[in-house]
Amino acid sequence: MIKDMFGTNRLKINLHLHTTQSDGHKTPEEAAAIYREAGYDIIAITDHWKYRESGAIGGLRTLSGAEYNIGGGNGAEGVFHILALGCSREPHIPREAGPQAIIDAINGCGGMAVLAHPAWSLNTVEQTAGLEGIGATEIYNTVSDAGESSRPYSGDFVDASACRGRLYPLIADDDTHYYNGEDETASYIMLACGPQATDAELLEAIRRKAFYATQGPEIHLLREGNRVTVKCSPAVRISFFSNAVWARGRCFRGSGLTEGSCEVQPFETFIRAEVTDADGRRAWSNTMDLRQ
Ligand SMILES: [Zn+2]
Ligand SMILES: [Zn+2]
């Protein structure tokens, strides 16, 4: 646990990784040791179709998890990978289930259904428009850029979804498979929660977006009237994203930037921000609802 620039306690969490229980290259014990040594407070082991209940491995807390993937490997046929996080019991899901049945089963067991790597799966907003009960989505997924098909970033999907009123909590995680120095301990969330929080309290904090997603930099998005401000650790780039298609003054470049702000227009319904530090590491805020 660390304190952020405002003195708030934050838990460092990777919510998506694989082990030898499915197609990961490390055992659960080896994976837990790698993340514990990297300063993580919690991991979720999310093997394909292999539910793992909450507990601890080698002193590192684990949140219950699994990844239910359907549709094979052809994006033209509708691929969905859905994480089950924090279920209190196993959601027994038949292999022939569709995406809505998977989401319903996860929610029915008290868990959170996370739409994993929509960019990697070539998911579209048309595909997800009819799905109810998605608790969060990944905006960044490390493994997709670690020798895979180089689509780790789901910002376009996230913004198109927000245009339709779906402001999902935005998670970054590793989806670790290889543990080869490229796909482990890189992308995570920093959740504002005490170390004694129950699984249900962790999920509740994710649902109310009490976290930022990052590869290292700190990012906070604040609003005062029509002015939205990013406060961050030293960055070389600060960018804002909203439903404004053309907007000047939404990207700041320099060195040692720790703040950037912009005025939002009356027609803007959401806004989010990203920062990049001098080492190329990125951080992503959650999407802020400007309609409130
Ligand atoms: Zn997946
Ligand atoms: Zn995965």
Side-chain angles (χ1 to χ4, degrees):
M1 193 174 69
I2 66 144
K3 283 192 190 301
D4 67 19
M5 62 173 68
F6 296 106
T8 302
N9 289 324
R10 299 267 173 178
L11 300 175
K12 182 176 181 178
I13 305 175
N14 177 27
L15 290 169
H16 189 173
L17 67 85
H18 297 272
T19 74
T20 48
Q21 297 285 297
S22 61
D23 56 353
H25 289 199
K26 295 287 187 190
T27 66
E29 291 73 24
E30 290 168 335
I34 288 167
Y35 279 90
R36 189 188 61 240
E37 285 165 24
Y40 283 71
D41 297 292
I42 302 172
I43 59 172
I45 295 177
T46 51
D47 280 304
H48 298 283
W49 294 92
K50 177 81 178 170
Y51 174 76
R52 186 182 188 95
E53 62 186 23
S54 293
I57 303 177
L60 181 63
R61 180 175 174 183
T62 60
L63 182 66
S64 72
E67 182 174 17
Y68 299 98
N69 53 290
I70 55 173
N74 181 353
E77 295 176 356
V79 175
F80 292 93
H81 286 209
I82 299 169
L83 302 179
L85 297 178
C87 290
S88 57
R89 62 184 190 281
E90 179 172 2
H92 293 281
I93 297 171
R95 289 275 181 166
E96 63 274 17
Q100 187 65 64
I102 294 172
I103 293 165
D104 290 345
I106 294 166
N107 286 318
C109 292
M112 172 180 284
V114 177
L115 181 67
H117 48 70
W120 203 17
S121 300
L122 292 176
N123 289 138
T124 66
V125 291
E126 286 73 25
Q127 283 179 322
T128 54
L131 298 177
E132 298 297 333
I134 295 173
T137 190
E138 291 176 352
I139 189 164
Y140 195 91
N141 166 287
T142 305
V143 73
S144 318
D145 198 32
E148 298 280 349
S149 36
S150 300
R151 280 196 288 262
Y153 175 64
S154 295
D156 292 349
F157 172 85
V158 161
D159 293 337
S161 295
C163 282
R164 289 158 172 79
R166 302 227 174 188
L167 280 58
Y168 305 114
L170 304 180
I171 288 167
D173 58 47
D174 286 333
D175 194 2
T176 333
H177 283 74
Y178 303 109
Y179 303 88
N180 59 357
E182 290 190 48
D183 74 346
E184 76 273 40
T185 63
S187 308
Y188 48 95
I189 66 167
M190 294 295 279
L191 184 66
C193 224
Q196 308 303 330
T198 63
D199 288 1
E201 288 167 343
L202 294 176
L203 295 188
E204 190 275 328
I206 294 171
R207 288 188 203 283
R208 67 182 153 81
K209 305 181 180 179
F211 68 93
Y212 59 89
T214 186
Q215 298 177 314
E218 195 171 325
I219 183 170
H220 304 277
L221 189 61
L222 311 163
R223 181 185 182 190
E224 208 175 320
N226 290 331
R227 180 152 289 273
V228 175
T229 300
V230 163
K231 291 186 185 293
C232 58
S233 52
V236 297
R237 184 184 183 107
I238 300 172
S239 303
F240 292 93
F241 301 83
S242 78
N243 55 306
V245 178
W246 298 281
R248 295 287 298 170
R250 295 298 172 95
C251 183
F252 304 89
R253 284 165 288 191
S255 62
L257 302 174
T258 56
E259 186 171 324
S261 68
C262 66
E263 293 274 342
V264 295
Q265 307 301 310
F267 73 90
E268 290 184 272
T269 55
F270 71 89
I271 194 164
R272 65 180 182 87
E274 301 180 7
V275 305
T276 307
D277 73 9
D279 296 321
R281 300 181 305 174
R282 298 163 70 182
W284 304 266
S285 79
N286 267 296
T287 307
M288 177 184 282
D289 192 342
L290 296 173
R291 297 169 299 184
Q292 298 165 345

